[in-house]
Amino acid sequence: MHLAAFLFTPGSHSSGWRHPDAIPECDMDFAQYVRIAQAAERGKLDTIFFQDTVAVNGSAALDGVSRFRPKQGRQAYLEPTTLLAALATVTSRIGLIATATTTYNEPYNIARRFASIDHISGGRAGWNLVTSQIEDEAGNFGADHHMQHALRYERAEEFYDVVAGLWDSFEDGALIRDKASGDYIDPAKLHFLDHRGRHFTVRGPLNMARCPQGRPIVSQAGSSDAGMELAARTADLVFTAQSDMSEAQAFAADLKARAARHGRDPAHVKVMPGLMTIIGRTEAEAQQKYEALQRLLDDANAMRLLARLCGDLDIHSLPPDAPLPELPPSNAAKARQRHLMEKAKREDLSIIQVARYLGTSLGHQLLVGTPARIADSMEAWLREGACDGFTLMFPYYPTPLEDFVALVVPELQRRGLFRTEYRGHTLREHLGIPVPPNRFAAD
Amino acid sequence: MHLAAFLFTPGSHSSGWRHPDAIPECDMDFAQYVRIAQAAERGKLDTIFFQDTVAVNGSAALDGVSRFRPKQGRQAYLEPTTLLAALATVTSRIGLIATATTTYNEPYNIARRFASIDHISGGRAGWNLVTSQIEDEAGNFGADHHMQHALRYERAEEFYDVVAGLWDSFEDGALIRDKASGDYIDPAKLHFLDHRGRHFTVRGPLNMARCPQGRPIVSQAGSSDAGMELAARTADLVFTAQSDMSEAQAFAADLKARAARHGRDPAHVKVMPGLMTIIGRTEAEAQQKYEALQRLLDDANAMRLLARLCGDLDIHSLPPDAPLPELPPSNAAKARQRHLMEKAKREDLSIIQVARYLGTSLGHQLLVGTPARIADSMEAWLREGACDGFTLMFPYYPTPLEDFVALVVPELQRRGLFRTEYRGHTLREHLGIPVPPNRFAAD
C-alpha cells in the first residue's frame, strides 16, 4: 500500500482550523511545515503532497472588499516549489510532490525547478501536473477567464511532452569535468529537444544534469475523459476522488486499461484516492471527534465550495433542503461535478448535505472510527482493486496527521500492508516505479 | 562596507574549474553549495548571490552537436530559487539573492517565490531583477530572438511595479485566524492590485502574507541608461562592473543622483561593483597563484565570451593582437560593451587581451596581492565614494571564498570597515535599508 499526505494548510475541512488542537499558523510558518513533514516521514509515508492555486480563492467572484471571505481558511500559504526545496533539507527519505499548473507557467521553468528539487533531495521530487480550474487564477495572468477545458488539456499534453523531453537533455555521465583535458562536458551526451508544437516552441537543452530519478515522478488528478487520457499516458501517480468502492474499482480499471493502451505497464500507474480519517481509540470517541468538527462547519463557507462547481446555476437561489439538481456544464472541474451528482443520487443527498460533504473532506472519502476499522476499510479497497493506496487528508494540522502515524500506520504494518522501514532512497523506489530510459541515449 | 558573494558555479574564471583545488561538481551538488554558503556566513557577508540564465550558454550559436562547448564550465547548475529556499534552512543570517528574468516569467509567479523564500528564511530573500540578454534563452521560450532592449526594459519596469504591488497585497496582521469568531482574515487588510498595463494585467491579491522584510530586497545589474533608470527607481542593491575607480565614482554618483530624482534616499541604494581577488600571504605568492590560474585559461573560450558581446561583428576574423575595434550596436548588454571599449582604450588592450580579461573575471575588477594590499584598495574605493561595498567573485570554489573569509575579512574587521558579528536578522538590517511602508495601509 502506498500513502501520500495531502498538505492543504490550514486544513482540508473548511472550518477545521478552528479546532482547539489546530495550529492554523501552519499556512505561513515554515517551522510548522517542518513538523508536519517530519511526522509524515516518521510514519514512513511514500510522499507529502502540496496542492496549489495561483490566486486567493474566491477573489474573482465579486467586486471590491466584499470579494474576500473572512471565514475562509486557505487564503495564504508558502509557494510549493520553494517549500519542497526547503523541506528536502530537513527530511531524508520521504517523497516531495507539489502542484504546478500548466496553464500559467512555461515548461522550461517548470522542468528546471522540479529537476533542481530532485537533485537537492537526492531523488525525491514529484510534479503534480494540473490545468487551472479555479477562475480566480485567470485574472492574475492577464485573462478574464481560463482557456476552455479542451484547450487547457491540449496545452497540458504538450506541456508534459516538453518537460519530459527537457528532462532527458543530459544523459547520465554527460558532465565529465576532466581537469587534465579541460573537457567539461561530453557533447555526445547533451541533446537539443527542438520541440515545435501548437502551444510551445522549445529548443533546449535544459541546463541541468539528469535527475537522480531520471525524471521526477509525475502525478495527475484529472478525472474527466481528457484528464484520464493525460494521466494514463503520462502519470506515475493519480490522485483521485472516489468515495464509493465500486466507483473506485471502475475508475482504477479504466485508468489502468488506458495506460496499457498507451503501451505502459499498468502496475506502474498508482491510483491513490483521497481519504480523510477521524480516528478514535473507540468508535464512540471517533464519532464524538467527528461531531465536534461538524459543529464548527460553516454552512455559508460550504455552500460557496459547492457554488464554485455549479457553473451558471445560482445554487444559492434554491432551497438548501432540495435535492441536488443536475449541474450545468462548466469550464471548471468536470469530473468533480459528475462525482458529486452521482454521490447525491446514490445517497439521496440534499443541496446543503452535498455542500457539507464538500466542506468536510473536499468531496473525498471520510472514514470515522477506530484504527482497526479504518485499516479494515483501507485493506478492503486495496485487496479489491479499488486503489494502490491513499492520499491522506487531514481536517487540520498537525495532530490528525500525527494521530494517523501513531495509530493507523502501526495497524497497517501489523497486517503486512505497509512498510516498516524505507527500503529505497528515492520516491521511485518507494513507489516501485523504475527509472525511465533517456530517450536520446544509445542502447 | 557591504559584501556579497557571487556564486557562479563552477567558477567566474572561465577555466578556474581546472585548478587542482577546484571542486567543479559544486555546479550540481547541493552539499557543495551548503559548504560555500556556510563559509560566506562564517565571514559575516551580507549576502550570497546567484546569477541565472534560462539556457545552456552558447546553445543558440550554431547547429547540431557542434553547438556545445566541451571546454566551457557553466553548462548546468541548480535552479536558483529552489536552491535559495534549501540554503535558507542550513544558514541563519546571511542574505539570499537570486536572479530571475523579467523577460520569460510572469510577475505573479516571481512575486510568490521570492516572498515565500523571505518567509522560509525569516527575512533574508532578495530578487535580482534582470532582462534576458543572452540570445540562447529566447529559443527556450518560443522566440528566435529576445524582444528589443528598449522593450525588454519597458517590460521590466512594469514587471517590477506588478511584483512590488503584489507584495503589498496583505497588510501586516491581515491573517487574524480567530478561532472563536471564525474570522480567518481581516478583509480591510487584504488588497487587490488591479494593475492594467501594456505588458501585464494582474488583479491580485498575492496569496501570501506580507514578508518579514515587507518586501524582499531588489537588486539590479543594468548599467545602460535604461538599466540605471530602472535601478535608480527600484533597486536596493546595484551589482555593477567598474574596474577603474574614477569610472566607479562617476557611476555611483550618477546612480545616486538618479535615485534622489526619483524621490529616494541615495543612502538606501547600495552600489556594489564586482571584485575578484587572488590572495597570497606575500605578493610573490599571490602573483604565483595568479599565473598558475592564467596558465589554465583557454583562449578559444575567452574569445567566445568576447564574441557574445560583439553583435554582428565577427571578432574571430580579426587578428587577435589588433586593438579592440569599436563594437557595433547589439541587442545584448550595451553597458558591458561600452565598459570593455573604454577599458581597452584606457589600457591599450588588444582583442585577445580583452578576451582574457573577460575570461579571467567576467570583466570585473581583479586584485592580486596580500590581504593588506587588497584591503587597502577596497578601503580606498569605499572612502572615495566609488562604492558601498563589493560583489566578491571567485575563480573557482570553494577555497578562494574560504581564503577571502580567512584572510581578507579579518583585515577589514581590524580596520573597522566590516562587521565582526551580524547585528540584525534580515538582509534589510544587514544593509541598513528600512522596511518599506505598505502602499495600501492607512497611516
PDB file of all heavy atoms in Angstrom, chain A residues 421-436:
ATOM      1  N   GLU A 421      10.015   0.084   7.331  1.00  0.00           N
ATOM      2  CA  GLU A 421      11.176   0.956   7.099  1.00  0.00           C
ATOM      3  C   GLU A 421      11.225   1.296   5.612  1.00  0.00           C
ATOM      4  O   GLU A 421      10.808   0.489   4.786  1.00  0.00           O
ATOM      5  CB  GLU A 421      12.491   0.243   7.482  1.00  0.00           C
ATOM      6  CG  GLU A 421      12.879   0.373   8.942  1.00  0.00           C
ATOM      7  CD  GLU A 421      12.907   1.816   9.451  1.00  0.00           C
ATOM      8  OE1 GLU A 421      13.193   2.748   8.645  1.00  0.00           O
ATOM      9  OE2 GLU A 421      12.627   2.010  10.639  1.00  0.00           O
ATOM     10  N   TYR A 422      11.771   2.476   5.310  1.00  0.00           N
ATOM     11  CA  TYR A 422      12.039   2.780   3.898  1.00  0.00           C
ATOM     12  C   TYR A 422      13.096   1.805   3.401  1.00  0.00           C
ATOM     13  O   TYR A 422      14.101   1.577   4.071  1.00  0.00           O
ATOM     14  CB  TYR A 422      12.560   4.203   3.734  1.00  0.00           C
ATOM     15  CG  TYR A 422      11.514   5.281   3.970  1.00  0.00           C
ATOM     16  CD1 TYR A 422      11.562   6.086   5.102  1.00  0.00           C
ATOM     17  CD2 TYR A 422      10.499   5.500   3.050  1.00  0.00           C
ATOM     18  CE1 TYR A 422      10.625   7.090   5.315  1.00  0.00           C
ATOM     19  CE2 TYR A 422       9.553   6.505   3.248  1.00  0.00           C
ATOM     20  CZ  TYR A 422       9.620   7.294   4.388  1.00  0.00           C
ATOM     21  OH  TYR A 422       8.692   8.281   4.592  1.00  0.00           O
ATOM     22  N   ARG A 423      12.871   1.237   2.226  1.00  0.00           N
ATOM     23  CA  ARG A 423      13.897   0.371   1.646  1.00  0.00           C
ATOM     24  C   ARG A 423      14.792   1.154   0.695  1.00  0.00           C
ATOM     25  O   ARG A 423      15.991   0.989   0.681  1.00  0.00           O
ATOM     26  CB  ARG A 423      13.247  -0.822   0.945  1.00  0.00           C
ATOM     27  CG  ARG A 423      12.664  -1.784   1.981  1.00  0.00           C
ATOM     28  CD  ARG A 423      12.244  -3.133   1.445  1.00  0.00           C
ATOM     29  NE  ARG A 423      11.333  -3.742   2.434  1.00  0.00           N
ATOM     30  CZ  ARG A 423      10.009  -3.639   2.415  1.00  0.00           C
ATOM     31  NH1 ARG A 423       9.399  -3.021   1.420  1.00  0.00           N
ATOM     32  NH2 ARG A 423       9.271  -4.181   3.369  1.00  0.00           N
ATOM     33  N   GLY A 424      14.195   2.023  -0.099  1.00  0.00           N
ATOM     34  CA  GLY A 424      14.984   2.822  -1.038  1.00  0.00           C
ATOM     35  C   GLY A 424      15.209   4.234  -0.526  1.00  0.00           C
ATOM     36  O   GLY A 424      14.822   4.577   0.594  1.00  0.00           O
ATOM     37  N   HIS A 425      15.857   5.016  -1.364  1.00  0.00           N
ATOM     38  CA  HIS A 425      16.099   6.420  -1.031  1.00  0.00           C
ATOM     39  C   HIS A 425      15.322   7.384  -1.916  1.00  0.00           C
ATOM     40  O   HIS A 425      15.225   8.560  -1.595  1.00  0.00           O
ATOM     41  CB  HIS A 425      17.593   6.740  -1.125  1.00  0.00           C
ATOM     42  CG  HIS A 425      18.352   6.242   0.055  1.00  0.00           C
ATOM     43  ND1 HIS A 425      18.790   4.936   0.151  1.00  0.00           N
ATOM     44  CD2 HIS A 425      18.714   6.851   1.210  1.00  0.00           C
ATOM     45  CE1 HIS A 425      19.404   4.775   1.315  1.00  0.00           C
ATOM     46  NE2 HIS A 425      19.381   5.913   1.962  1.00  0.00           N
ATOM     47  N   THR A 426      14.793   6.906  -3.029  1.00  0.00           N
ATOM     48  CA  THR A 426      14.098   7.823  -3.941  1.00  0.00           C
ATOM     49  C   THR A 426      12.596   7.547  -3.910  1.00  0.00           C
ATOM     50  O   THR A 426      12.147   6.470  -3.500  1.00  0.00           O
ATOM     51  CB  THR A 426      14.595   7.664  -5.391  1.00  0.00           C
ATOM     52  OG1 THR A 426      14.141   6.398  -5.906  1.00  0.00           O
ATOM     53  CG2 THR A 426      16.120   7.725  -5.468  1.00  0.00           C
ATOM     54  N   LEU A 427      11.845   8.539  -4.372  1.00  0.00           N
ATOM     55  CA  LEU A 427      10.394   8.361  -4.442  1.00  0.00           C
ATOM     56  C   LEU A 427      10.038   7.233  -5.401  1.00  0.00           C
ATOM     57  O   LEU A 427       9.126   6.436  -5.142  1.00  0.00           O
ATOM     58  CB  LEU A 427       9.738   9.682  -4.859  1.00  0.00           C
ATOM     59  CG  LEU A 427       8.218   9.704  -5.027  1.00  0.00           C
ATOM     60  CD1 LEU A 427       7.491   9.148  -3.813  1.00  0.00           C
ATOM     61  CD2 LEU A 427       7.753  11.113  -5.354  1.00  0.00           C
ATOM     62  N   ARG A 428      10.765   7.131  -6.521  1.00  0.00           N
ATOM     63  CA  ARG A 428      10.542   6.000  -7.434  1.00  0.00           C
ATOM     64  C   ARG A 428      10.719   4.662  -6.727  1.00  0.00           C
ATOM     65  O   ARG A 428       9.962   3.716  -6.972  1.00  0.00           O
ATOM     66  CB  ARG A 428      11.534   6.031  -8.600  1.00  0.00           C
ATOM     67  CG  ARG A 428      11.162   6.969  -9.680  1.00  0.00           C
ATOM     68  CD  ARG A 428      12.032   6.865 -10.917  1.00  0.00           C
ATOM     69  NE  ARG A 428      11.634   7.945 -11.782  1.00  0.00           N
ATOM     70  CZ  ARG A 428      10.568   7.913 -12.581  1.00  0.00           C
ATOM     71  NH1 ARG A 428       9.849   6.820 -12.711  1.00  0.00           N
ATOM     72  NH2 ARG A 428      10.235   8.964 -13.293  1.00  0.00           N
ATOM     73  N   GLU A 429      11.741   4.571  -5.892  1.00  0.00           N
ATOM     74  CA  GLU A 429      11.968   3.308  -5.176  1.00  0.00           C
ATOM     75  C   GLU A 429      10.818   3.034  -4.207  1.00  0.00           C
ATOM     76  O   GLU A 429      10.351   1.895  -4.108  1.00  0.00           O
ATOM     77  CB  GLU A 429      13.321   3.357  -4.454  1.00  0.00           C
ATOM     78  CG  GLU A 429      14.497   3.267  -5.440  1.00  0.00           C
ATOM     79  CD  GLU A 429      15.854   3.608  -4.815  1.00  0.00           C
ATOM     80  OE1 GLU A 429      15.904   4.293  -3.762  1.00  0.00           O
ATOM     81  OE2 GLU A 429      16.877   3.204  -5.401  1.00  0.00           O
ATOM     82  N   HIS A 430      10.345   4.065  -3.511  1.00  0.00           N
ATOM     83  CA  HIS A 430       9.207   3.847  -2.599  1.00  0.00           C
ATOM     84  C   HIS A 430       7.989   3.320  -3.370  1.00  0.00           C
ATOM     85  O   HIS A 430       7.252   2.481  -2.886  1.00  0.00           O
ATOM     86  CB  HIS A 430       8.792   5.145  -1.896  1.00  0.00           C
ATOM     87  CG  HIS A 430       9.887   5.818  -1.133  1.00  0.00           C
ATOM     88  ND1 HIS A 430      11.003   5.167  -0.653  1.00  0.00           N
ATOM     89  CD2 HIS A 430      10.042   7.120  -0.763  1.00  0.00           C
ATOM     90  CE1 HIS A 430      11.789   6.025  -0.033  1.00  0.00           C
ATOM     91  NE2 HIS A 430      11.231   7.211  -0.078  1.00  0.00           N
ATOM     92  N   LEU A 431       7.782   3.864  -4.561  1.00  0.00           N
ATOM     93  CA  LEU A 431       6.585   3.518  -5.336  1.00  0.00           C
ATOM     94  C   LEU A 431       6.786   2.251  -6.174  1.00  0.00           C
ATOM     95  O   LEU A 431       5.810   1.700  -6.702  1.00  0.00           O
ATOM     96  CB  LEU A 431       6.208   4.678  -6.268  1.00  0.00           C
ATOM     97  CG  LEU A 431       5.753   5.971  -5.576  1.00  0.00           C
ATOM     98  CD1 LEU A 431       5.669   7.118  -6.579  1.00  0.00           C
ATOM     99  CD2 LEU A 431       4.412   5.783  -4.864  1.00  0.00           C
ATOM    100  N   GLY A 432       8.032   1.817  -6.316  1.00  0.00           N
ATOM    101  CA  GLY A 432       8.285   0.653  -7.168  1.00  0.00           C
ATOM    102  C   GLY A 432       8.110   0.963  -8.647  1.00  0.00           C
ATOM    103  O   GLY A 432       7.615   0.128  -9.413  1.00  0.00           O
ATOM    104  N   ILE A 433       8.501   2.147  -9.043  1.00  0.00           N
ATOM    105  CA  ILE A 433       8.399   2.558 -10.449  1.00  0.00           C
ATOM    106  C   ILE A 433       9.818   2.774 -10.973  1.00  0.00           C
ATOM    107  O   ILE A 433      10.563   3.592 -10.431  1.00  0.00           O
ATOM    108  CB  ILE A 433       7.579   3.865 -10.579  1.00  0.00           C
ATOM    109  CG1 ILE A 433       6.158   3.657 -10.025  1.00  0.00           C
ATOM    110  CG2 ILE A 433       7.530   4.320 -12.031  1.00  0.00           C
ATOM    111  CD1 ILE A 433       5.312   4.921  -9.999  1.00  0.00           C
ATOM    112  N   PRO A 434      10.214   2.035 -12.003  1.00  0.00           N
ATOM    113  CA  PRO A 434      11.618   2.091 -12.433  1.00  0.00           C
ATOM    114  C   PRO A 434      12.013   3.436 -13.045  1.00  0.00           C
ATOM    115  O   PRO A 434      11.162   4.193 -13.505  1.00  0.00           O
ATOM    116  CB  PRO A 434      11.722   0.981 -13.485  1.00  0.00           C
ATOM    117  CG  PRO A 434      10.330   0.704 -13.920  1.00  0.00           C
ATOM    118  CD  PRO A 434       9.421   1.084 -12.787  1.00  0.00           C
ATOM    119  N   VAL A 435      13.314   3.694 -13.046  1.00  0.00           N
ATOM    120  CA  VAL A 435      13.862   4.888 -13.694  1.00  0.00           C
ATOM    121  C   VAL A 435      13.646   4.751 -15.197  1.00  0.00           C
ATOM    122  O   VAL A 435      14.001   3.728 -15.788  1.00  0.00           O
ATOM    123  CB  VAL A 435      15.366   5.031 -13.374  1.00  0.00           C
ATOM    124  CG1 VAL A 435      16.003   6.139 -14.212  1.00  0.00           C
ATOM    125  CG2 VAL A 435      15.571   5.287 -11.881  1.00  0.00           C
ATOM    126  N   PRO A 436      13.058   5.741 -15.840  1.00  0.00           N
ATOM    127  CA  PRO A 436      12.824   5.625 -17.293  1.00  0.00           C
ATOM    128  C   PRO A 436      14.137   5.781 -18.058  1.00  0.00           C
ATOM    129  O   PRO A 436      15.029   6.490 -17.612  1.00  0.00           O
ATOM    130  CB  PRO A 436      11.898   6.816 -17.587  1.00  0.00           C
ATOM    131  CG  PRO A 436      12.189   7.820 -16.521  1.00  0.00           C
ATOM    132  CD  PRO A 436      12.604   7.037 -15.300  1.00  0.00           C
TER     133      PRO A 436
END
